[in-house]
Amino acid sequence: MTVWEAIGVVLAGVFAGGINTVVGSGTLVTFPVLLAVGYPPVVANVSNSLGLVPGSVTGAIGYRRELAGQGKRLVRLGSASLLGGLVGAVLLLVLPPEAFETIVPVLIALALVLVVAQPWLARKLGERQSEVHVHGSVGLLLAVFATGVYGGYFGAAQGVLLLAIMGILMDESLQRINGIKNVLAAIVNLASGVVFIFIADVAWLAVALIAVGAVIGGLIGAKIGRKLPPAVLRGVIVVVGVAAIVQLLV
């Protein structure tokens, strides 16, 4: 890797760390860059997952005020993300890529519809439910687990999926949900990364370069994301999600 290529990877990490903190889909930036500098797809995917962990952590720290009082909820949902991330990492190593690549654009499109319709859907669900589990229903746990499986496998737009399902199934503000999303994404990436360390080939230089950029991006993203009104944040989610679908289909 040349010096300019290394700089490019760091900059990709900055952008990915920022967009992951605000919405998600940072993988769609860093993964193609790693491919462009010569890493094989599986090695690039594995290294990318590990490299983005510090950015998710700094993003979560940036949202610490929104995370206040959500400890029990984070333990409950984090356990589902942990298991999902482990399962997804194993699937990456044993299944053909086509198994997931075919349905990824559909999942992202569905997530975008859910994000846009979230206020209406949440209101309708609230009218039908006399009691909402403060730490997450069984349905939410299963959805978070499934998203963790997807995140452990590839991860692009897992943030969009998490924001959509939590926004509908939890009685909580979008900013507080975004804080939870950053923690869950970090757990998924770390869980899958641990599996990759022992089973797959890891390009540690790429991991280090992405990590440096992602930490910076995570701090920047937290400052920006926390100031966005719910309507604007939903708009950003839709734009990023559509861009993710386009890139995956091209």
Side-chain angles (χ1 to χ4, degrees):
M1 186 186 300
T2 67
V3 173
W4 289 111
E5 288 175 338
I7 293 174
V9 173
V10 172
L11 291 177
V14 173
F15 188 87
I19 200 66
N20 274 345
T21 301
V22 178
V23 184
S25 298
T27 291
L28 293 176
V29 178
T30 47
F31 181 68
V33 170
L34 291 181
L35 293 180
V37 298
Y39 289 108
V42 174
V43 174
N45 194 19
V46 166
S47 306
N48 178 70
S49 294
L50 281 168
L52 289 177
V53 171
S56 296
V57 172
T58 54
I61 292 173
Y63 271 83
R64 58 189 177 277
R65 278 191 291 175
E66 287 75 12
L67 290 170
Q70 302 199 75
K72 292 183 179 179
R73 176 184 285 165
L74 287 173
V75 171
R76 187 177 173 90
L77 296 179
S79 299
S81 288
L82 176 63
L83 292 175
L86 293 173
V87 172
V90 173
L91 289 178
L92 173 65
L93 301 175
V94 300
L95 292 180
E98 295 79 7
F100 270 55
E101 289 177 356
T102 304
I103 198 171
V104 166
V106 177
L107 287 175
I108 299 175
L110 176 61
L112 295 182
V113 173
L114 294 176
V115 167
V116 173
Q118 182 264 327
W120 179 82
L121 288 173
R123 186 168 59 251
K124 289 297 182 182
L125 287 174
E127 292 173 356
R128 297 183 180 182
Q129 296 176 353
S130 58
E131 183 178 338
V132 177
H133 197 295
V134 293
H135 302 312
S137 63
V138 174
L140 176 60
L141 285 173
L142 292 175
V144 169
F145 169 78
T147 305
V149 173
Y150 166 68
Y153 185 89
F154 182 46
Q158 71 166 314
V160 176
L161 291 168
L162 285 170
L163 286 170
I165 60 177
M166 287 191 293
I168 292 171
L169 298 177
M170 285 169 50
D171 184 17
E172 194 59 87
S173 71
L174 193 56
Q175 288 292 2
R176 281 171 65 83
I177 288 173
N178 205 16
I180 299 172
K181 178 264 295 178
N182 288 328
V183 175
L184 298 185
I187 290 173
V188 169
N189 285 340
L190 181 59
S192 59
V194 170
V195 173
F196 296 149
I197 289 174
F198 290 101
I199 300 178
D201 292 328
V202 179
W204 289 108
L205 175 59
V207 171
L209 293 173
I210 290 177
V212 169
V215 167
I216 298 171
L219 294 173
I220 296 173
K223 290 183 178 295
I224 296 174
R226 293 178 64 251
K227 297 178 181 179
L228 295 178
V232 176
L233 184 54
R234 285 193 182 87
V236 173
I237 294 170
V238 170
V239 171
V240 173
V242 170
I245 293 173
V246 172
Q247 184 166 346
L248 287 168
L249 291 177
V250 173

